[in-house]
Amino acid sequence: MLTKRIFYRQTKRGNILKIVREHYLRDDIWCGSYSCFTCKAKDKEKVLDEVPKSKSKAVPSEHYIFLDTNAVLDQIDALEESFLTNVIILQTVLEEVKHRSSTIYKRLREIINNSRRKFYVFVNEHRRETYIEREPGESVNDRNDKAIRAAALWYQLHLSSQNIKSVLLSDDAVNRQKAIEMDITALSFSEYAEGTDSVDLIERLSSKRWSELKGEDCTDVYPAHLTPSAIQAGLKAGNLVQGSFFASRDNCLEANVVTDQHSIFIQGRASLSRAIDGDTVAVEILPKTEWKAPSNLVIQTEDTDEITADNEEERQMTGKVVGIIRRKWLQYCGILQLSPVAGHTRHLFVPAKRQIPKVRIETRQGEKLVNQRIVVVIDNWPRNSRHPQGHFVKALGKIGDKETENEVILLEHDIPSTHFSEAVYADLPPNDWTITEEELAKRQDLRDICICSVDPPGCTDIDDALHCFQLANGNYEVGVHIADVSHFIRPNTAIDKEAALRANTVYLTDKRIDMVPDLLSSNLCSLRGGEERLAFSCVWELTPQAEIVSTRYHKSVIKSKAALTYGEAQAIIDDNADESILATSLRGLNMLAKILKKKRLEKGALVLASPEIRFHVDSETHEPLEVQVKQLLDTNSMVEEFMLLANVSVAEKIVADFPDCALLRRHPEPPSANYDPLIKAANHQGFEIDISSGKALSRSLDNAKKPSDAYFNIMLRILTTRCMLQAVYFCSGTLPAKDYFHYGLAAPLYTHFTSPIRRYSDVIVHRLLAVCIGADSTYPELLEKRRSDSICQNLNYRKRMAQYASRASVALHTHLFFRDKVENEEGYILFVKKNALHILIPKYGLEGMVMLTSKDKNQPNPFEFNSCDNTQRAGDIVFHTFDRVVVQLSLDRSNVQHEKLRMFLVEPQVPGFSISSTGELLPMDEDIPTF
């Protein structure tokens, strides 16, 4: 049967376009039930039980379950609980879920594909008896609800001889009432779930079913949000701006909203207006007279609503959140804070991530879960509620257990860490894959050239290799050879989509979460020594002064002569008796790299620093045995220089050929206000920092050295790093050319080409470069500006989350190392805050806070903050940035949620605050006995 839909659309030019759509209806779309003898389906096409026994007291008869769209969207966590079976997902619902949430659609699909769950997809839109035509003036939502009811009724009539009922689960009271009028059993999802004996199903129910707030949650501090139409009108008129909401890590009453042009400061609970870290929000910028300065306070309690302190000199653009454009609520890990009321089922969930507020959830397992790390999802945040509301999803394990805490890190930072799907593995080549003669004929054969790789110890995903030899004319040929990952990952395949989603490999202290399966990352793509591998080569002819004479790119086949560590390569270079081809190649690379680095720095490239540490881990227990600051050798810099040169060269090539869709990386110049802490700190030490340009800043940093303190310049560079903005990926056609500049590298153009095993950005760049040189064909998405921009947004997000996850992993292992340890160590003040000193410990590369509060509640706080010069004074002692201190390090385990490195001041000695080297509090001056 054929139906036609006819409608008219007006074009931009004002013409009327008639559109006719044909819709086919059939009688041979089966119901999927083993109890049916009418449909002629084969057994393999049947899913639903012949006798679907009831699992809920709310519906005692045998039945199949139908869900409306909102039931799926709101209760997906409950649906993932294996208790519910014999569920019919209508095509109407499936398509609407796909349209409204791709994430939930994917999760629903995984449930449907699990044969044990017995979820059956019924194509009701093409079955003649269940198709519903939309009536004139009828909303899409009303038409879809009608289609759901029609399908449920058809099933009930279709299986009436077997006495199998249809049960519609919907939280829409009107929809339920209309279903009941049609003699269809209709309940809310929670009514059905609460009739079962599954505690886990009930625990996972969305909190949207709550009808009232408890007294402790009621508040009137939050203003109402603007309606979506008012937000759109405000954005269009320029009265509002749209941006991403980033909550402060140190102060729960402060945040920043980042737009394309500005970073807008938000302060106070009313101005934060129920926004949560990661949300896209609408902001009203306040008049300049109402602008505020960051408080410089560390506030991690939700007891207060406003901050009264302000510094007029440091005020910055300030606004208030007036509406939420898009929520970015994730699954959050944390612990349960039990209600003090005995028998109460509503408790507070305390997220591990400090930027996320406490969440009110309902659970009957409070006593059982109190010592567990649990996962919670936020459902909504009513205006009159102090806390957002959510529901329990699952328990991860015991608090403090290393495996549990690792899983927390991955979930908290939204790291995709599930096993690769069967579809992804299906795209892989066989384990015994070898290079064919046909493939070899398409490539440059470089197997006889002395090529080697230089990487950290234990590296198995070797992306890059190098070669260097002198030409007859006295110049050098230098090659950078990169694993040809794009040969194995073809566009729009399952493995390509998975790599695009993951965006990068994530490195934790004791594990690695790969972007691509191990067969590629550690085997077929890894440029291992002595094995033939496919590569993408960038080869230069360089003068002895490291000037580029020519550059060429080609797909190649290489056979690395050695896979070296940085230390092994350095030893070969330093061994003057070694005159092998490999040693000569490495020395040539090292010589040219030093010249390249000198030229780069002369152009204004910055040499920054960050405290990085390496753990020596027990091979059996995987517990940290020792902590060391990472040591850098000349070979580290050697590899870095040629990777930078390759990235710059490739960027220039792909922009020349694809000016509107090249994937590049830029580093915006920081606003001058970002440098204020650096300038003040350097001035106190007698140095001036010139920030007029990157080159001037670089020169200032080079000149700011203390012969008596070699670590001073490193600290200055660490502080400079904190002043920088994040480097980001972008599509070349989305910004003016002047914004392409990479400030930190002083490079007009830059991209990432050299690590395709662990960065999806490099895979895209390889595809662009392959098209440039005629080594591969293009495909539509590669040249779509909007598609490329979307990829860049995900790359930037995943890159940031991977960095945070790596830091969290270091913090976890630091805590494990310092358990049951107490040490006194030399440190330096990195930042002076209003109520804390931010301390850096060079020996371990660790950072922590010394909180400046009186140890004795009966005594006044001995510290006084001076905002003019960013100092803290306690009597005659003044604390400046970069001052040397001695602190006692130990692990504070009093807060099971946030174990933290605890620091107590030992030197200088502040009476009533500092402790002695043995850990005893120094008495106040007036308490010292006189004799």
Side-chain angles (χ1 to χ4, degrees):
M1 180 179 174
L2 176 67
T3 67
K4 291 184 178 181
R5 298 188 220 178
I6 302 174
F7 57 96
Y8 299 89
R9 176 182 296 167
Q10 187 174 14
T11 66
K12 290 182 179 180
R13 294 184 178 181
N15 298 325
I16 303 299
L17 186 66
K18 180 181 179 181
I19 298 175
V20 179
R21 286 185 181 169
E22 296 179 340
H23 190 84
Y24 290 88
L25 300 177
R26 301 170 56 171
D27 295 316
D28 58 348
I29 294 175
W30 318 130
C31 67
S33 172
Y34 276 103
S35 68
C36 178
F37 301 103
T38 305
C39 295
K40 298 177 182 179
K42 298 176 182 178
D43 278 357
K44 66 179 181 180
E45 297 173 318
K46 297 178 180 180
V47 173
L48 304 168
D49 283 338
E50 182 177 357
V51 182
K53 292 185 177 180
S54 174
K55 295 183 177 182
S56 174
K57 296 174 184 176
V59 187
S61 57
E62 296 166 0
H63 61 270
Y64 295 137
I65 298 170
F66 292 78
L67 304 167
D68 70 4
T69 304
N70 284 329
V72 175
L73 293 172
D74 292 340
Q75 307 290 359
I76 186 65
D77 290 309
L79 289 175
E80 287 177 329
E81 169 54 42
S82 59
F83 184 83
L84 286 182
T85 56
N86 290 306
V87 178
I88 296 168
I89 302 295
L90 300 175
Q91 178 193 2
T92 305
V93 173
L94 193 63
E95 289 181 352
E96 197 171 1
V97 169
K98 183 179 182 180
H99 174 70
R100 292 174 61 179
S101 174
S102 59
T103 303
I104 293 178
Y105 173 77
K106 184 178 179 182
R107 293 168 68 184
L108 180 59
R109 270 291 179 192
E110 289 176 358
I111 299 171
I112 293 168
N113 293 337
N114 183 348
S115 59
R116 294 190 298 272
R117 296 300 309 278
K118 299 174 183 176
F119 273 55
Y120 180 69
V121 176
F122 178 63
V123 189
N124 64 305
E125 296 290 354
H126 290 278
R127 175 90 194 192
R128 181 173 52 81
E129 296 95 330
T130 59
Y131 173 72
I132 297 296
E133 192 77 49
R134 183 180 169 190
E135 296 177 1
E138 187 177 35
S139 70
V140 174
N141 183 65
D142 287 345
R143 180 265 164 201
N144 288 347
D145 284 346
K146 188 192 295 183
I148 293 167
R149 295 192 298 270
L153 180 61
W154 178 82
Y155 260 89
Q156 190 160 284
L157 296 174
H158 183 68
L159 301 174
S160 58
S161 60
Q162 283 74 37
N163 201 29
I164 296 175
K165 301 292 185 182
S166 295
V167 175
L168 174 62
L169 301 187
S170 171
D171 290 331
D172 183 342
V174 174
N175 194 20
R176 292 200 304 268
Q177 183 57 41
K178 289 182 177 179
I180 291 169
E181 291 170 1
M182 297 169 65
D183 198 30
I184 302 169
T185 303
L187 302 167
S188 69
F189 200 105
S190 58
E191 286 173 331
Y192 186 90
E194 287 167 358
T196 70
D197 57 4
S198 172
V199 175
D200 290 335
L201 177 65
I202 297 169
E203 297 284 270
R204 290 183 170 210
L205 292 176
S206 168
S207 64
K208 288 184 179 180
R209 71 191 193 282
W210 295 359
S211 58
E212 80 287 334
L213 291 173
K214 302 296 183 182
E216 67 268 24
D217 281 345
C218 291
T219 184
D220 58 1
V221 71
Y222 297 118
H225 287 155
L226 296 182
T227 63
S229 58
I231 290 174
Q232 291 303 317
L235 292 173
K236 190 173 182 180
N239 300 324
L240 304 176
V241 294
Q242 175 178 324
S244 299
F245 183 89
F246 295 98
S248 168
R249 286 171 172 250
D250 295 326
N251 191 327
C252 64
L253 295 179
E254 293 182 347
N256 282 282
V257 173
V258 178
T259 71
D260 292 336
Q261 288 83 28
H262 307 291
S263 178
I264 303 166
F265 180 59
I266 313 290
Q267 188 182 81
R269 198 172 300 281
S271 294
L272 297 174
S273 195
R274 295 175 285 151
I276 291 178
D277 191 64
D279 287 351
T280 301
V281 298
V283 174
E284 178 186 332
I285 299 175
L286 298 175
K288 205 164 186 177
T289 54
E290 297 180 31
W291 287 8
K292 299 179 180 179
S295 65
N296 212 8
L297 288 168
V298 178
I299 300 178
Q300 293 171 351
T301 175
E302 297 183 13
D303 296 336
T304 56
D305 293 334
E306 294 295 335
I307 298 172
T308 55
D310 195 13
N311 183 349
E312 291 188 14
E313 294 180 4
E314 297 182 1
R315 288 183 178 181
Q316 53 187 259
M317 182 183 291
T318 306
K320 62 179 180 180
V321 175
V322 296
I324 310 296
I325 296 173
R326 185 168 55 254
R327 289 289 193 187
K328 193 169 187 180
W329 289 343
L330 308 170
Q331 290 189 339
Y332 299 109
C333 305
I335 62 171
L336 200 65
Q337 179 180 312
L338 286 179
S339 168
V341 181
H344 210 340
T345 59
R346 292 191 187 177
H347 311 281
L348 278 177
F349 165 77
V350 185
K353 196 173 180 181
R354 294 188 185 275
Q355 298 99 309
I356 307 301
K358 294 179 181 179
V359 182
R360 182 69 67 181
I361 69 167
E362 187 168 52
T363 175
R364 296 172 176 82
Q365 305 180 75
E367 296 294 337
K368 177 184 174 182
L369 298 175
V370 73
N371 293 317
Q372 302 273 314
R373 288 282 191 187
I374 65 174
V375 177
V376 161
V377 168
I378 296 175
D379 297 315
N380 62 339
W381 194 344
R383 178 190 171 190
N384 59 340
S385 174
R386 189 168 190 84
H387 303 289
Q389 299 170 353
H391 65 270
F392 167 79
V393 175
K394 62 182 175 179
L396 297 176
K398 187 177 179 181
I399 295 170
D401 176 75
K402 185 182 169 187
E403 288 305 313
T404 299
E405 299 301 333
N406 263 336
E407 191 172 353
V408 169
I409 289 171
L410 295 176
L411 282 168
E412 275 302 303
H413 297 94
D414 194 22
I415 306 296
S417 58
T418 55
H419 294 297
F420 291 102
S421 68
E422 292 181 8
V424 169
Y425 283 117
D427 286 336
L428 293 174
N431 290 345
D432 59 353
W433 175 90
T434 56
I435 302 170
T436 63
E437 290 298 323
E438 181 184 3
E439 186 61 36
L440 182 60
K442 300 176 185 176
R443 295 171 175 262
Q444 292 281 327
D445 189 349
L446 307 180
R447 290 175 292 179
D448 293 333
I449 294 179
C450 182
I451 294 171
C452 69
S453 62
V454 185
D455 291 282
C459 179
T460 61
D461 52 345
I462 302 173
D463 284 291
D464 55 87
L466 300 153
H467 85 261
C468 174
F469 59 83
Q470 195 162 19
L471 300 169
N473 62 4
N475 290 340
Y476 291 87
E477 178 178 295
V478 175
V480 166
H481 311 277
I482 307 301
D484 190 3
V485 179
S486 62
H487 173 83
F488 298 96
I489 301 180
R490 303 307 296 168
N492 295 318
T493 57
I495 193 171
D496 180 48
K497 292 174 182 176
E498 184 66 25
L501 172 70
R502 296 187 178 217
N504 47 235
T505 293
V506 180
Y507 295 89
L508 303 185
T509 301
D510 59 343
K511 68 191 300 185
R512 185 181 82 200
I513 296 89
D514 284 325
M515 183 183 79
V516 296
D518 188 67
L519 178 63
L520 295 185
S521 64
S522 296
N523 187 351
L524 300 183
C525 289
S526 184
L527 307 183
R528 304 193 297 199
E531 299 191 22
E532 296 181 358
R533 290 291 181 259
L534 301 181
F536 207 149
S537 301
C538 175
V539 182
W540 304 274
E541 181 180 342
L542 299 176
T543 68
Q545 294 75 40
E547 297 288 345
I548 297 175
V549 176
S550 63
T551 308
R552 63 184 189 273
Y553 311 93
H554 47 250
K555 295 284 186 101
S556 59
V557 178
I558 69 169
K559 186 176 182 180
S560 174
K561 299 302 182 282
L564 305 173
T565 66
Y566 290 118
E568 290 169 344
Q570 190 67 53
I572 292 172
I573 291 171
D574 294 341
D575 183 3
N576 294 326
D578 188 344
E579 297 181 357
S580 64
I581 296 176
L582 178 60
T584 304
S585 176
L586 287 170
R587 290 190 188 109
L589 288 167
N590 196 38
M591 178 269 294
L592 291 167
K594 289 179 178 179
I595 299 172
L596 287 170
K597 184 172 184 178
K598 183 181 178 183
K599 289 182 176 181
R600 218 168 37 81
L601 297 179
E602 287 173 352
K603 291 179 181 177
L606 299 175
V607 177
L608 303 177
S610 61
E612 292 188 67
I613 59 176
R614 182 182 299 278
F615 290 92
H616 292 279
V617 179
D618 187 288
S619 59
E620 294 183 1
T621 66
H622 301 290
E623 296 292 322
L625 300 175
E626 186 181 2
V627 184
Q628 289 183 342
V629 177
K630 290 184 181 178
Q631 300 295 320
L632 297 180
L633 305 171
D634 280 353
T635 46
N636 290 82
S637 180
M638 176 189 79
V639 173
E640 180 186 16
E641 287 305 316
F642 284 106
M643 297 305 110
L644 292 175
L645 186 63
N647 288 336
V648 169
S649 297
V650 171
E652 292 170 350
K653 177 65 175 174
I654 61 176
V655 168
D657 284 30
F658 298 106
D660 290 331
C661 57
L663 193 153
L664 302 176
R665 189 162 174 82
R666 70 189 184 98
H667 182 207
E669 182 178 355
S672 57
N674 282 28
Y675 291 112
D676 288 348
L678 172 69
I679 294 170
K680 287 181 180 179
N683 283 344
H684 171 70
Q685 300 292 334
F687 297 99
E688 285 194 15
I689 302 296
D690 184 354
I691 60 168
S692 59
S693 66
K695 189 171 184 177
L697 175 59
S698 179
R699 192 181 301 115
S700 297
L701 294 174
D702 290 341
N703 294 334
K705 294 179 180 178
K706 285 185 174 182
S708 60
D709 187 356
Y711 199 72
F712 170 74
N713 189 259
I714 295 175
M715 283 195 300
L716 205 62
R717 294 180 189 274
I718 290 173
L719 193 56
T720 306
T721 304
R722 308 293 168 88
C723 300
M724 294 292 132
L725 300 177
Q726 283 279 345
V728 291
Y729 297 103
F730 72 103
C731 176
S732 58
T734 60
L735 292 171
K738 64 181 179 62
D739 291 336
Y740 293 5
F741 191 73
H742 195 293
Y743 180 76
L745 297 175
L749 291 172
Y750 190 69
T751 192
H752 275 163
F753 164 75
T754 54
S755 296
I757 292 178
R758 56 189 177 89
R759 291 191 305 232
Y760 188 72
S761 57
D762 304 50
V763 175
I764 296 294
V765 170
H766 276 225
R767 291 172 180 170
L768 289 165
L769 184 61
V771 176
C772 292
I773 65 172
D776 205 346
S777 57
T778 186
Y779 57 98
E781 292 87 351
L782 188 66
L783 307 181
E784 284 183 10
K785 192 185 301 184
R786 183 178 297 178
R787 168 74 172 164
S788 296
D789 185 58
S790 175
I791 290 172
C792 289
Q793 297 302 323
N794 184 59
L795 291 173
N796 292 328
Y797 171 71
R798 295 293 182 196
K799 174 79 172 175
R800 188 169 64 251
M801 290 299 103
Q803 288 176 332
Y804 291 160
S806 295
R807 292 172 193 169
S809 180
V810 169
L812 170 63
H813 282 76
T814 302
H815 295 168
L816 293 174
F817 176 77
F818 274 99
R819 282 182 179 175
D820 306 319
K821 287 186 175 72
V822 178
E823 296 185 11
N824 291 345
E825 294 293 344
E826 182 184 75
Y828 292 89
I829 299 173
L830 204 55
F831 297 101
V832 177
K833 296 182 175 290
K834 281 188 177 179
N835 62 344
L837 299 176
H838 189 131
I839 308 295
L840 169 67
I841 309 298
K843 178 179 177 180
Y844 295 120
L846 305 176
E847 297 177 40
M849 296 282 190
V850 174
M851 301 303 298
L852 303 181
T853 54
S854 177
K855 298 288 191 295
D856 185 348
K857 293 182 179 179
N858 298 319
Q859 297 290 340
N861 190 340
F863 292 92
E864 184 180 345
F865 179 70
N866 186 332
S867 60
C868 295
D869 57 2
N870 258 40
T871 60
Q872 287 280 358
R873 177 183 291 274
D876 296 332
I877 302 172
V878 182
F879 295 87
H880 304 85
T881 301
F882 302 142
D883 282 357
R884 175 192 171 277
V885 294
V886 175
V887 295
Q888 185 184 87
L889 296 175
S890 62
L891 188 65
D892 181 4
R893 305 184 69 180
S894 60
N895 183 340
V896 294
Q897 168 76 322
H898 293 118
E899 284 188 357
K900 63 182 178 182
L901 202 60
R902 178 169 51 192
M903 294 187 179
F904 290 123
L905 187 66
V906 177
E907 296 178 10
Q909 297 182 350
V910 178
F913 182 81
S914 298
I915 62 172
S916 67
S917 58
T918 58
E920 298 172 349
L921 181 66
L922 294 180
M924 298 288 290
D925 288 340
E926 60 267 27
D927 294 337
I928 298 175
T930 56
F931 298 96

